[in-house]
Amino acid sequence: MVSAAPRSHLSSHHQPLPTEYQTTDQGRAAAEAYYSNTSPATDTMASAKLTLQSTLPILNSPHTMPRLGFGIYRSPRDVCVASCLTALRSGYRHIDSAQFYQNESEMGEAVRKAGIPRNEVFLTTKILSAAGSVDKTYAKCANSVQLIDPGENGYVDLFLIHSPNSGAKNRKEMWLALERLHAEGKARAIGVSNFGKGHMEEMKAFATVWPPAANQIELHPWCQQREIVEYCNSHNIIVQAYCPLVRNLKAHDETLVGVAKKHDKPTGQVLIRYCLQKGWVPLPKSDTPERIVANADVYGFELDGEDMATLDSLDQGERGAIVEAVSNA
């Protein structure tokens, strides 16, 4: 079994988080407070420091991840560039694509059109299916890198396995291909999406890079996935939240609307702020320019302890998922 890199290889802020902070409630906010030698007394104290420029350290890496991302799930090619440009001009510095979305090249094109230096934007993509061998799967991933950041020195900041559902053999094939990409500098960090505890533990038998840098899962008040979130926190795996806006299906939920009215904010902003204060990295998606801008305007208010507890109480477990809750078997 191959474990994480020896502790001596880690910088001081990548040391394992003390057990008392490894809880779902404190999560990454407590981790940030611990790593910066500040008091992790409350979630809201840590979250008060959040800005659009806030980042999280990536385990075993000198690089960081912006706390807020912009999702482009199935964003049509003819509008994706415009949507990404709106996001970048609104201050987002983190965009999330995938091979399945068929808009990797549009994401890269938008960064070049925006004129923002490549190293100032965090770009993610994902592989959904293996190609039949590690070499073929590596080539498939390397092609994504070239679509996003053409040239000899092109890279992505994070490359994920999109889903564990293709089976153990294919999960291993995809991870070994990503490790090769990572070793060559074409992926600065590698991680997973929709992985449960069993999938994570399975990787130890063959992985050179473990734990994964991130696990992207469905997260919002109705689907909090506490077991896998706690597991990720205990291993310093960044938790990314897709569908943080629940695809607007809960915009009229009485409890959510009540919290939004208290702060005089749209429900979408409350949901994004909730994710941030939980220590997750939300990836709100929209192709409507006004909503893209509004979804980044979440730093002028805070949810207090009562608000967070109220939203926490909405959890429905697996029943609350609108896409997929992970399997922790």
Side-chain angles (χ1 to χ4, degrees):
M1 182 177 74
V2 182
S3 59
R7 188 171 301 181
S8 61
H9 292 181
L10 307 182
S11 64
S12 60
H13 68 283
H14 285 148
Q15 297 305 309
L17 188 64
T19 302
E20 63 267 26
Y21 296 161
Q22 295 174 3
T23 68
T24 299
D25 292 335
Q26 289 176 300
R28 299 295 305 187
E32 285 189 329
Y34 173 71
Y35 291 147
S36 60
N37 295 316
T38 61
S39 171
T42 66
D43 284 341
T44 52
M45 283 179 64
S47 66
K49 302 172 185 175
L50 290 172
T51 71
L52 190 52
Q53 292 74 43
S54 293
T55 62
L56 284 174
I58 299 173
L59 190 65
N60 300 332
S61 170
H63 306 293
T64 60
M65 180 187 299
R67 291 289 308 269
L68 177 67
F70 178 61
I72 54 174
Y73 169 73
R74 303 304 294 272
S75 181
R77 291 179 175 179
D78 59 343
V79 299
C80 186
V81 173
S83 294
C84 288
L85 280 169
T86 298
L88 292 167
R89 289 165 181 166
S90 302
Y92 293 83
R93 289 297 180 268
H94 178 175
I95 306 177
D96 180 86
S97 184
Q99 292 176 352
F100 178 67
Y101 303 170
Q102 298 183 19
N103 53 23
E104 293 171 303
S105 61
E106 286 74 13
M107 175 175 71
E109 180 184 343
V111 173
R112 293 188 293 277
K113 281 189 173 182
I116 300 170
R118 174 64 187 88
N119 63 0
E120 294 182 12
V121 185
F122 192 99
L123 301 180
T124 298
T125 194
K126 314 175 195 74
I127 178 171
L128 181 62
S129 57
S133 71
V134 173
D135 286 346
K136 290 179 180 178
T137 299
Y138 164 83
K140 185 177 179 181
C141 294
N143 181 63
S144 284
V145 174
Q146 284 301 299
L147 288 174
I148 294 165
D149 189 15
E152 183 179 353
N153 298 317
Y155 68 92
V156 295
D157 296 275
L158 180 64
F159 213 127
L160 306 177
I161 295 177
H162 204 152
S163 168
N165 295 339
S166 61
K169 177 180 179 294
N170 288 325
R171 289 194 294 270
K172 178 179 179 179
E173 180 180 308
M174 287 187 282
W175 189 252
L176 294 179
L178 289 185
E179 287 190 335
R180 179 176 165 189
L181 204 72
H182 177 59
E184 294 177 356
K186 295 176 182 176
R188 286 186 166 180
I190 55 177
V192 296
S193 180
N194 297 304
F195 270 45
K197 290 168 58 177
H199 303 125
M200 296 283 202
E201 289 295 311
E202 168 193 88
M203 296 172 68
K204 292 180 179 178
F206 57 80
T208 301
V209 177
W210 198 95
N215 189 12
Q216 185 179 128
I217 59 178
E218 180 179 344
L219 285 170
H220 44 75
W222 296 269
C223 182
Q224 295 173 36
Q225 306 219 59
R226 296 178 182 182
E227 186 175 359
I228 187 60
V229 168
E230 183 170 352
Y231 177 92
C232 290
N233 288 341
S234 71
H235 291 89
N236 299 333
I237 299 168
I238 294 174
V239 177
Q240 296 184 319
Y242 70 76
C243 288
L245 301 176
V246 210
R247 295 183 181 169
N248 211 37
L249 296 174
K250 299 291 188 179
H252 301 292
D253 178 87
E254 183 177 345
T255 302
L256 174 62
V257 169
V259 175
K261 285 183 176 179
K262 173 181 172 180
H263 294 275
D264 193 25
K265 297 294 180 182
T267 54
Q269 290 184 353
V270 169
L271 289 173
I272 294 169
R273 184 73 199 191
Y274 172 79
C275 287
L276 289 168
Q277 290 187 211
K278 294 292 284 187
W280 308 333
V281 176
L283 303 165
K285 187 260 179 178
S286 180
D287 284 314
T288 304
E290 294 79 10
R291 289 180 182 172
I292 294 170
V293 174
N295 289 342
D297 185 18
V298 293
Y299 301 97
F301 73 105
E302 272 185 49
L303 301 176
D304 60 28
E306 181 182 359
D307 299 328
M308 295 296 288
T310 296
L311 295 172
D312 280 346
S313 72
L314 297 174
D315 192 21
Q316 298 175 353
E318 292 183 7
R319 292 186 301 108
I322 62 170
V323 176
E324 179 180 359
V326 307
S327 170
N328 287 303

